[in-house]
Amino acid sequence: MQPLRHFVLAVQFFSRIPVTGRLAAWAGWSPQLQHASVAHLPGVGWLVGAWGAACLTATGWLLAPSPWMPLVAAVLSTVATLWLTGGLHEDGLADVADGLGGFVPPERALEIMKDSRLGAYGAMALVMALLAKLSLVALLVDVRVQWAALLLCSIHVLSRMAPLALMQCLPYVGQAAHSKALHAAGRPLAARGLVAAILWCLPALALTGWLAGLPLVIGLVLPGALATAAMVRWLRRRLGGMTGDCLGAAQQVCELAMLLGAAAVLVRVQ
């Protein structure tokens, strides 16, 4: 039952799904348990993706004759996923953009990233990321609503491997006294945790292959891997490591790269 406890903790930490009462008491908490729960971040992606896909499908069914349907469906599904996650990863993207948008020393960048106020770089990154996401999801919906819904679910799962890759490749450099992610991301995952994360991702890869074969799988995995590698290189050069905000930023960059890759493939095979 231990993996199930880890998954429940991951749901509690990475989403707004209520985990209270007896369920919370059963799952328990300790720094070790919270760290182990990070391996189930792709599993949380299944819940977030399924919720977004359901909203996408329902909107497509209600507004199918309208030419505005793809855009409205993209907006409502994005709002739904933002609500379910509390904008956790988007907040990380904005904080990283604020800290690393200018040319400041790593120590100063970490201070800026801990500031709760939104700066110009963070606002620009957040707005452009959301606009790009809405445009790409609308493009997928325009190809085929059902495919877009299934792909959205798979991308939410697979893109959550990017934070785990950062944890394996970079040391944690956040300020321990003020960190909310130290227990979760302070050290790399053990081999057992990596296996659990990969197992969560295998059905998403199979679903993607079932939709449009190997080209679509490559269209997701390759851009996502390249975006994650670029984030690792950039953060190593600018910060010398990563923080909890960097993990959220990596997920967002990977998600956008995968949406772009999926759109590029589907537009050609429709």
Side-chain angles (χ1 to χ4, degrees):
M1 300 298 289
Q2 196 74 347
L4 185 56
R5 293 176 67 194
H6 296 163
F7 175 67
V8 171
L9 276 173
V11 172
Q12 187 179 47
F13 189 73
F14 294 110
S15 78
R16 283 182 168 176
I17 297 174
V19 178
T20 58
R22 292 184 179 180
L23 182 59
W26 173 78
W29 185 90
S30 71
Q32 293 76 22
L33 285 173
Q34 186 170 347
H35 176 68
S37 74
V38 180
H40 298 271
L41 182 56
V44 179
W46 277 111
L47 300 178
V48 177
W51 173 240
C55 292
L56 198 73
T57 304
T59 306
W61 179 73
L62 289 171
L63 303 179
S66 172
W68 292 96
M69 184 273 289
L71 180 58
V72 175
V75 170
L76 292 182
S77 67
T78 301
V79 169
T81 56
L82 283 172
W83 174 82
L84 195 62
T85 62
L88 180 66
H89 305 298
E90 288 79 5
D91 177 68
L93 175 67
D95 287 341
V96 169
D98 274 336
L100 299 180
F103 293 95
V104 296
E107 297 78 11
R108 177 57 182 154
L110 291 172
E111 292 178 4
I112 294 172
M113 288 162 65
K114 294 307 297 181
D115 192 332
S116 60
R117 293 171 294 183
L118 183 64
Y121 289 113
M124 287 186 289
L126 191 57
V127 169
M128 296 310 297
L130 288 174
L131 285 176
K133 189 180 300 187
L134 293 175
S135 301
L136 290 168
V137 173
L139 182 58
L140 291 175
V141 172
D142 193 50
V143 173
R144 189 174 297 180
V145 177
Q146 295 83 357
W147 284 23
L150 294 174
L151 274 174
L152 190 67
C153 193
S154 294
I155 289 171
H156 272 286
V157 175
L158 297 173
S159 65
R160 281 164 170 77
M161 283 296 292
L164 306 187
L166 259 65
M167 288 174 57
Q168 300 306 114
C169 297
L170 297 172
Y172 188 82
V173 295
Q175 300 171 350
H178 305 286
S179 175
K180 297 179 181 178
L182 178 62
H183 296 313
R187 63 186 188 277
L189 287 173
R192 181 179 296 181
L194 291 176
V195 170
I198 292 170
L199 289 176
W200 280 115
C201 292
L202 290 180
L205 291 173
L207 177 61
T208 303
W210 174 74
L211 283 177
L214 185 60
L216 187 55
V217 175
I218 296 174
L220 290 189
V221 174
L222 183 59
L226 291 175
T228 303
M231 286 292 293
V232 169
R233 183 175 183 273
W234 183 55
L235 292 170
R236 180 181 288 122
R237 179 168 54 87
R238 291 298 310 275
L239 280 182
M242 58 84 187
T243 67
D245 287 328
C246 297
L247 302 184
Q251 188 277 327
Q252 285 293 289
V253 171
C254 185
E255 182 180 337
L256 289 171
M258 287 183 167
L259 284 170
L260 179 60
V265 172
L266 286 188
V267 164
R268 285 165 173 77
V269 301
Q270 65 172 326

